[in-house]
Amino acid sequence: MTMATPSGPQATAAKPFYASFGFQVLAAMVVGLLLGLYARSLGPDAAGNPNWLVQTLTTIASIFVQLLYALVPPLVFTAIVASIGNLRKLSNAAALVWQTLLWFAITALIAVLIGIALGLIIQPGLHSSVLAETAKAPATTGSWLDFLKGLVPANVFGIQASTKLVDGIASTSLQFNVLQILVIAIAVGVAALSVGERANAFLTFNESLLAIVRKILWWVIRLTPVGTIGLLGKAVAQYGWQTLGQLSWYALAIYIGLAIVLLIVYPLLLILHGLSPTRFFAGAWPAIQLAFVSRSSVGTMPVTEAVTERSLGVPRAYAAFAVPLGSTTKMDGCAAIYPAISAIFVAQFYQIPLGIEHYALIVFVSVIGSAATAGLTGATVMLTLTLSTLGLPLSGVGLLLAIDPILDMGRTAVNVAGQALVPLLVSKRQGILDEARYNQAGGIDNLDAGVPAKG
């Protein structure tokens, strides 16, 4: 089937609302919520196993997430290499790079300070009804040593193997270390620039491979409404309101923090730069929405890059650098709000006093150590990195994991919003923003139209 590529907002306006990607995802969220509630009401089967509906929702969710994650390694590598190659097209590349990193740090600093303030005001650790007996050390932990070791690739593919022994049977699984892939890609990209013209063929091949990976990922993203039903339905069926109620103050603190960053801090930064917040959210909404249901910043990367370029007016050469870098290192939700409030929760729960130096360490870890979320297992590792730095018990993580998927939806949405915001602000400050396109901001309902064009 051939799909026409719209030339602008007018081309997508003729689409009926029910055919838009955004409406389909919203409808899927409602269906997933209802199916999850119904599945939970059915209870387990006669053998005590999850009922058929829970198993179906779990299978749908697992397949969708597996499809997304399978494309992460080639996507990260080719996108980072291509983004570094694209810096050749920018006359002010150095200024763009350092300003991007600076604004990554500024927004992370603001977010972590908000998290600390909310933790001290709401005091979620003193209002929790969760039992201490449920606490146990997480299977995956993070430390500064792990982070530093993780920067050095063990092999050229960034593959790690882990073996588990269950009932005397050993099973080995392979997984990709995204942080190592990021380091490899940066090294390859910089080397390609250093080689000069002799690397042109390689960079051209890399761009072609990136286009192919993006196309496959767009096919997967088309399945988002189906995946949303499974993901949300599974979460509701598995956790329900009782588990959420035990940590209601903690969840409330997290979501208040996320809302403040998304709906107050980001709009204020936009206003200070003379940009309309309404236009920003209209343009970035497809990426924010997909991030919420998929819980994957990297999986959302093509959509984030598409809206940043096509709807927000950021030049393609710069968006192709800033968005892939941000999708692995820029995480105001997972690496700032979440570890700050969670660390304070654990300290309050175990009645461990924190001093000024501890809050300073929380700020340091959140601003400097956020790249650790790319190398291991997302927000959980960022939290264990924070707790180990503060000397707090890692068993406290076990108290919070029960509702982590519910929190991760909001965290990832804020992450992706920030990944679109920073390139926009830097482009405005550098005078390279296409403000006419920004002021026309609208969503990209035609997914094929979201694939960034060449040039």
Side-chain angles (χ1 to χ4, degrees), residues 31 126 143 145 163 175 210 223 279 285 294 373 379 384 428:
V31 173
L126 302 181
S143 68
L145 182 60
T163 302
Q175 59 184 6
L210 175 58
L223 300 175
R279 296 295 187 185
W285 177 247
S294 70
T373 58
T384 58
K428 173 68 174 180

Side-chain angles (χ1 to χ4, degrees), residues 431-455:
I432 59 175
L433 181 67
D434 184 347
E435 296 195 46
R437 173 170 291 188
Y438 179 82
N439 290 326
Q440 293 177 343
I444 49 166
D445 290 329
N446 185 323
L447 293 183
D448 284 337
V451 180
K454 284 189 175 183

Side-chain angles (χ1 to χ4, degrees), residues 250 338-339 342-343 378-388 394 397 400:
Y250 167 71
Y338 173 71
S342 300
T380 299
V381 168
M382 187 62 194
L383 175 55
T384 58
L385 178 64
T386 306
L387 294 182
S388 61
L394 293 180
V397 179
L400 310 177

Side-chain angles (χ1 to χ4, degrees), residues 8-9 12 278-287 303-314 424 433-445 449-450:
T12 59
T278 303
R279 296 295 187 185
F280 170 76
F281 286 110
W285 177 247
V303 184
T304 311
E305 186 177 339
V307 299
T308 301
E309 176 201 348
R310 290 178 176 260
S311 296
L312 303 182
V314 176
L424 174 62
L433 181 67
D434 184 347
E435 296 195 46
R437 173 170 291 188
Y438 179 82
N439 290 326
Q440 293 177 343
I444 49 166
D445 290 329

Side-chain angles (χ1 to χ4, degrees), residues 19-331:
S20 72
F21 179 68
F23 177 81
Q24 291 171 1
V25 173
L26 287 175
M29 291 174 70
V30 175
V31 173
L33 175 64
L34 295 176
L35 287 178
L37 291 173
Y38 178 62
R40 188 170 180 83
S41 70
L42 292 177
D45 61 18
N49 298 316
N51 60 63
W52 66 270
L53 183 53
V54 172
Q55 292 182 26
T56 301
L57 293 171
T58 300
T59 301
I60 293 173
S62 298
I63 290 175
F64 179 67
V65 172
Q66 282 181 236
L67 289 172
L68 278 177
Y69 284 2
L71 293 168
V72 165
L75 179 64
V76 170
F77 179 84
T78 54
I80 294 296
V81 172
S83 67
I84 294 175
N86 283 331
L87 290 177
R88 298 176 301 173
K89 305 174 184 177
L90 299 172
S91 58
N92 55 343
L96 289 172
V97 171
W98 80 259
Q99 282 215 21
T100 300
L101 297 176
L102 175 64
W103 279 96
F104 279 2
I106 290 173
T107 51
L109 176 61
I110 295 172
V112 71
L113 291 177
I114 290 172
I116 291 174
L118 287 172
L120 295 175
I121 294 170
I122 297 178
Q123 298 185 321
L126 302 181
H127 299 95
S128 172
S129 60
V130 66
L131 298 176
E133 289 76 10
T134 63
K136 59 181 179 179
T140 305
T141 61
S143 68
W144 287 108
L145 182 60
D146 293 330
F147 174 56
L148 294 175
K149 287 166 58 179
L151 287 171
V152 182
N155 53 75
V156 72
F157 299 108
I159 297 177
Q160 292 181 325
S162 59
T163 302
K164 294 181 180 179
L165 192 63
V166 181
D167 297 329
I169 301 175
S171 61
T172 301
S173 60
L174 298 176
Q175 59 184 6
F176 289 93
N177 186 311
V178 179
L179 183 57
Q180 290 185 4
I181 296 174
L182 178 66
V183 172
I184 294 169
I186 291 175
V188 171
V190 172
L193 289 183
S194 301
V195 169
E197 292 185 2
R198 288 176 294 173
N200 288 344
F202 168 74
L203 291 175
T204 300
F205 167 77
N206 182 77
E207 287 188 4
S208 298
L209 181 58
L210 175 58
I212 292 171
V213 173
R214 274 197 178 121
K215 175 58 70 173
I216 297 174
L217 185 56
W218 282 113
W219 294 341
V220 175
I221 290 173
R222 287 182 181 279
L223 300 175
T224 297
V226 178
T228 298
I229 293 174
L231 288 165
L232 193 57
K234 173 192 172 185
V236 172
Q238 184 173 352
Y239 301 105
W241 302 115
Q242 181 179 358
T243 306
L244 184 61
Q246 293 176 340
L247 292 165
S248 57
W249 284 98
Y250 167 71
L252 180 65
I254 294 288
Y255 267 95
I256 288 176
L258 295 174
I260 291 174
V261 170
L262 184 64
L263 303 178
I264 297 178
V265 174
Y266 288 174
L268 281 176
L269 290 174
L270 289 165
I271 292 171
L272 290 174
H273 285 79
L275 298 170
S276 166
T278 303
R279 296 295 187 185
F280 170 76
F281 286 110
W285 177 247
I288 296 172
Q289 185 182 46
L290 177 60
F292 182 83
V293 297
S294 70
R295 296 167 48 203
S296 172
S297 294
V298 176
T300 310
M301 185 206 302
V303 184
T304 311
E305 186 177 339
V307 299
T308 301
E309 176 201 348
R310 290 178 176 260
S311 296
L312 303 182
V314 176
R316 165 153 173 69
Y318 172 52
F321 164 78
V323 173
L325 180 64
S327 69
T328 52
T329 60
K330 171 60 181 166
M331 302 188 182

